[in-house]
Structures are given as structure tokens and as C-alpha cells.
Amino acid sequence: MKVPMKKSRLLILALTSSLALAACTEKEDDSVGEKQDEVSEASAEKGEVVEEKLLNNITLSASRGFVRDEVQFNVTDLKPDKPVELVWNSIDGEYIIEDLYAVIGPEFTEKEIMLLEGTTDTDGKWTGKFNVPEGFGGDITLWVKQDGKKIGQVGYTVDPSFVMEPQSGPVGTEISIKMEGLGWSTYMRNWQLTYDNKYTGLVTGISTNGTAEAKIRAAGSVGDHAIRLRTGYLGMQYINYLQSPYPDKPAPDFMFKITDGVAPTIANHVEDAPVAASGGVEMPRLEQKKDVKVALSVDEGNVGEPVTLTSTGLPKDTEIELVWNTMKGSRVSGKGFAEEVTILEKIKTDAKGNLSYDFKVPDDLGGIPHRLDLVASGEVYGQAYLRILPSIVDFSPKSGPVGTKISITIKGGGWTEFDNAYYLTYDNAYTGYLCAFNSQGNLTFDVIATGDVGHHLIDLYPGIYKQKELATDMTLIPQLTYSTDHPGSSMPAIRLAFEVTK
């Protein structure tokens, strides 16, 4: 079972994309490409190693722009009447997770993608146009290649773009901010969002190569509310960005107008589980003895929901132990944590070696799945995975005056460094975090009602509790791009609301 991040190597790859342009050599009667070949051949005969210089022979109609912008180019000093390629320096990003639970951090690898193929004219020139490809923004290198070799290069800057939808709506309206061209470099990787000058959370596009969607809900009184996005690799916005080393980067501001009434999304609910970054952690392969098949009626569910397990190909008329595997302990108490097993039930197979068993989803940790083992005489015959999803167990009261203490219980919190904590905002102001490991998935807490008469939002976001590599700080922060770029397992956001009365 693959949970919506691959278990991978630990190296955090530092990438550099050089934009230094080599000086042009003086033109002679022979073409530049032929001259380079002659120099290489002569050097080879002498046993010398010569690094060929790349030419500054590419002219672009613009030096910077956004994803999908059209750019015209002109290339000179190439071999005439020969195939030619225009190549783009691209980056792939992913999160690295170790042993299914530890977040190492982001990793980036460099690759080249071919934008265009063509043929030079009789003068060794090539003209055309291309559209800026989707991917990470920042400073990019383009190369022109002939005969499999790079001949020339030029730099191009991709700036991030931001779109907010919708522009208005009642309290509780889901606001989506879609972005393209976010950077991968330390400074341009993390973006921070504020709502009415209150810090809300983190925006990233690491596993989606710079394409991201942040989701929040409209909070506050009727009227305009300011949303700002700024870079901030240390966990908060860099406010005086015009005096930073990158004053030319965008700093988007939006205004959302709250209208009368309340949105349907004001009701308490757990969102559908999203897709985890890069497809999620890859769980260990399940072991089944020959001819044994194990199936669950559902592979995920809330605590207390019904599940039916069926299996065939087991030993006939034999007692089978249904063993539940979980984790217990704490990463902060000093006592550590370890795997623990519980026998849910002992079931006897029929004369054909089949069994069927109805049970309820155990009250236990959420996050990555639990393994169920079918054991006979100490030997495992078959296995299955069952995942526990978060659920709202208690939220009371639902309304009251300022100062009312709201009691909340959530079940299905996880235990890994990417799903053991939820990060709470009150009217889009980050308030603090909650850990579920020590309490075996149970999150019980209270919130004090504040604000004007009307509905106030309490939102719980996934985030990263801890990471090894801290070139950029992503820990203990609501990750607003959780629906597309949260690593490990597909933890959903939890949406709650309280109505303040007179």
C-alpha cells in the first residue's frame, strides 16, 4: 500500500545554476563550431585537456517573465544547415523521509529538458520562439546544442505568479491562492502568508516543482481583509524585502471582501484526505504465504467505523490470531518509542481454510497505516494495511459569549514527524500546535472564544513537526499548501467554527 514520498537517500543536494556568460571569440572566415572542433582535435593530438568556452550567442526578446510567457530567440555562430536544440535548465524537488517517520528535508536534482529542435540556416543562424515551461522559478540557464555539445548559453529569470479566487464571499468561504514559478533556492523556496497582519502559515511548492495552491477560509467582519505573501526562509515574512538581496522579486497583496451571511463550509468537518507529496511514503511490502489472500472491506476509516476482514488459503480448521501493530511512546519524554502488538481476536478457519471477521477501526494513531498480521502457531500467514483517518469526536458548545471555553476532541492524529501534530489558527491567526503521539492519536484541548458577535474560525492544518536539514525552517508551522505539497501521508485539514453571541 502506498500512502499519499518515497523512502530515499539522505543527501540534501545543493544546486547552483551558473549564469556567467563566456565572451565571444572573434569571428573568422570559418564557422565557430568548425573552429572549436579544430582546436579540440589539435589539443587531443597533443594530449591536452581543453575546456571549451560557451558562446554568448543567444538573444532573447525578454530576460525575465512568467510560466507560459512566449519568448522569441535568435541564435548565431552555429554550423550551417545542421540540426540544433534549445535546452532548458530544470530542477526536480522532493521531500526525503527516513525509516517511514523522520523528515530529513527537501532535496533538489538538476536536469535538462529540450525546449525546441530545429535546423540552422545557411549562415549558421536559428530563430524561433518558445513558451516558458512550468516548473521552479528563479534564475535559469538556456543552452543551444549541436552534435550533442553545448555551444552557447544565456540566462533567463522566471518570476512567481499569484492568483486569488474568489475575490469575495461570506465568512467561512474557502480562499484559494494558486501560484506558479515559486523558487527552489534557499531564499525563494518558502513563502509566508498573513491575514489582516496576523501570521497564518507556510506556502511551499517543493514536490510540485514550484506550482502550489494555498487554502485558507475567510474570517472576520463584513468588509475588506488584507492577505499578503512574502518570502521568508526562517519561518516568518521578510518585511523590508526591498532592502534584501532580492528586491526585484514579487511581493503580492490581495484584498478579500467579506459579505453578509455564512458559507456552507462554516460547518465543522474534516476535509477529504489529499494526495501526499510525491505520492507519499512507500510502505513495506506485505507478506503473504503461497495461496493466501487477505482483504479488508475498506483500507482506511475513522475510529469506530466497521471493517470486515476476509482471508482464504489459510490452514484448515485452525485458530488464527488477528494481530494489530502500532507504535507507542514519545519522542520528547526521553523514554523513546517502539512497535507494540495487540491481539484483536482469535478466529478459527473453516474446513476450506477461509475466515471472515467483523470489527471496528481501533481507537489508535492515525497517519501512516497500521499492519494487521494473521498468525497461526507463531507464524505469519498473511497481512493487510488499515489506515485511521482523523475525525471530530467532540466540539462543545457551538455558540456562546466571549470567554466561552470550547472543548474539542479529535481522534486519528499520527505519530511521525510529518503527521503527529496539527497546527491551530483562530480567524487565520496561528495560535499553536497539538501533538498526538503521547496520547495515542487522541487530541483533546480547549479554545477560548474571542472576537465580535458572529462566526469565528478554528482551523487545524498539517505541518512538519521536525526536520533534520534546516537550511529553510518549515517546522511547527501550519502548511497552507498541505493539499498538494505535504510530505509523508495525506493528512487532511480540519475545519471548525464557533458563533460568538451577545
Side-chain angles (χ1 to χ4, degrees):
M1 177 180 184
K2 194 167 185 183
V3 177
M5 185 102 238
K6 294 172 283 187
K7 185 179 178 184
S8 182
R9 59 195 182 281
L10 312 184
L11 176 64
I12 302 300
L13 184 62
L15 300 172
T16 56
S17 183
S18 172
L19 294 178
L21 302 179
C24 290
T25 56
E26 188 174 321
K27 287 188 178 180
E28 297 180 0
D29 292 338
D30 294 332
S31 71
V32 172
E34 292 171 347
K35 190 171 183 179
Q36 287 178 328
D37 290 343
E38 291 171 5
V39 170
S40 297
E41 290 170 5
S43 299
E45 289 175 2
K46 297 178 182 180
E48 298 175 355
V49 177
V50 176
E51 183 179 341
E52 296 178 359
K53 293 183 178 180
L54 298 181
L55 303 178
N56 182 16
N57 62 337
I58 308 172
T59 303
L60 302 178
S61 59
S63 62
R64 70 190 309 152
F66 302 98
V67 170
R68 281 184 290 280
D69 276 3
E70 184 178 278
V71 182
Q72 297 176 348
F73 66 89
N74 181 57
V75 188
T76 60
D77 300 323
L78 298 170
K79 293 179 181 179
D81 301 314
K82 295 284 187 181
V84 65
E85 299 174 348
L86 190 65
V87 176
W88 180 271
N89 170 223
S90 184
I91 307 293
D92 275 342
E94 64 176 340
Y95 291 96
I96 304 303
I97 290 177
E98 179 185 16
D99 297 332
L100 298 181
Y101 77 91
V103 179
I104 305 306
E107 176 179 279
F108 303 93
T109 54
E110 193 170 16
K111 68 176 183 179
E112 296 174 9
I113 59 174
M114 186 173 65
L115 288 181
L116 216 59
E117 292 180 292
T119 304
T120 57
D121 63 18
T122 55
D123 295 322
K125 296 179 180 180
W126 183 35
T127 60
K129 60 185 178 180
F130 65 90
N131 292 102
V132 175
E134 185 176 347
F136 282 113
D139 296 330
I140 305 295
T141 301
L142 288 90
W143 295 285
V144 62
K145 295 176 73 173
Q146 270 192 324
D147 299 327
K149 296 191 302 184
K150 294 175 182 175
I151 304 300
Q153 67 179 357
V154 70
Y156 185 84
T157 299
V158 180
D159 288 320
S161 61
F162 305 82
V163 176
M164 182 184 77
E165 297 175 337
Q167 307 292 318
S168 63
V171 169
T173 298
E174 182 174 275
I175 303 170
S176 170
I177 301 176
K178 296 180 180 180
M179 294 149 274
E180 292 182 319
L182 299 186
W184 62 269
S185 66
T186 298
Y187 185 82
M188 300 305 296
R189 185 184 312 164
N190 288 5
W191 291 72
Q192 314 291 342
L193 185 146
T194 59
Y195 187 95
D196 285 347
N197 292 325
K198 297 172 291 187
Y199 181 70
T200 305
L202 171 70
V203 171
T204 62
I206 290 168
S207 68
T208 51
N209 291 354
T211 298
E213 181 181 11
K215 294 196 297 184
I216 61 173
R217 294 195 296 170
S221 58
V222 171
D224 291 334
H225 296 267
I227 299 172
R228 310 192 94 186
L229 278 156
R230 299 289 186 271
T231 57
Y233 72 97
L234 294 176
M236 290 297 284
Q237 290 189 346
Y238 191 159
I239 300 299
N240 63 326
Y241 67 95
L242 289 175
Q243 296 172 309
S244 78
Y246 304 94
D248 59 334
K249 301 304 180 185
D253 290 334
F254 299 99
M255 199 67 70
F256 185 89
K257 181 181 289 294
I258 290 184
T259 57
D260 290 327
V262 294
T265 50
I266 201 78
N268 293 351
H269 66 283
V270 178
E271 291 187 351
D272 292 338
V275 176
S278 303
V281 293
E282 187 171 343
M283 299 297 294
R285 184 171 176 268
L286 294 171
E287 299 296 331
Q288 319 287 0
K289 282 189 177 293
K290 185 180 178 181
D291 298 327
V292 173
K293 295 181 180 179
V294 182
L296 297 175
S297 57
V298 294
D299 58 12
E300 61 184 19
N302 297 328
V303 170
E305 289 184 339
V307 185
T308 298
L309 178 147
T310 56
S311 183
T312 59
L314 296 167
K316 302 173 183 178
D317 298 312
T318 302
E319 186 176 75
I320 302 294
E321 293 180 340
L322 183 58
V323 178
W324 176 259
N325 295 269
T326 189
M327 299 296 296
K328 281 198 173 182
S330 169
R331 62 174 49 85
V332 297
S333 66
K335 297 179 180 179
F337 55 92
E339 191 171 23
E340 182 170 296
V341 299
T342 302
I343 298 176
L344 293 183
E345 190 61 86
K346 296 180 181 180
I347 318 144
K348 190 173 182 180
T349 60
D350 63 18
K352 295 181 179 180
N354 303 329
L355 67 77
S356 179
Y357 175 62
D358 296 327
F359 66 103
K360 293 182 178 180
V361 175
D363 189 351
D364 206 342
L365 294 162
I368 61 174
H370 296 263
R371 193 182 73 248
L372 283 158
D373 297 332
L374 277 64
V375 179
S377 302
E379 192 172 355
V380 175
Y381 278 79
Q383 297 176 327
Y385 280 127
L386 178 62
R387 182 176 182 228
I388 300 176
L389 296 171
S391 58
I392 304 166
V393 176
D394 179 54
F395 185 93
S396 59
K398 292 182 171 58
S399 64
V402 168
T404 298
K405 183 177 289 188
I406 311 161
S407 297
I408 304 170
T409 297
I410 307 292
K411 288 192 176 182
W415 67 276
T416 72
E417 291 178 357
F418 47 81
D419 61 21
N420 77 309
Y422 267 107
Y423 304 85
L424 187 147
T425 63
Y426 188 96
D427 284 345
N428 291 330
Y430 179 36
T431 302
Y433 68 95
L434 308 93
C435 283
F437 192 8
N438 192 62
S439 53
Q440 213 61 25
N442 183 305
L443 295 166
T444 297
F445 59 102
D446 59 62
V447 175
I448 298 296
T450 60
D452 296 334
V453 170
H455 286 83
H456 295 268
L457 308 182
I458 303 169
D459 291 325
L460 278 68
Y461 291 95
I464 296 173
Y465 177 74
K466 183 180 180 182
Q467 70 183 81
K468 182 176 179 181
E469 301 294 341
L470 289 171
T472 56
D473 189 357
M474 303 174 64
T475 60
L476 302 179
I477 301 173
Q479 190 174 10
L480 307 182
T481 45
Y482 63 92
S483 65
T484 54
D485 194 43
H486 183 66
S489 62
S490 53
M491 294 298 282
I494 301 172
R495 307 299 195 181
L496 309 167
F498 181 87
E499 184 177 8
V500 169
T501 57
K502 291 184 179 179

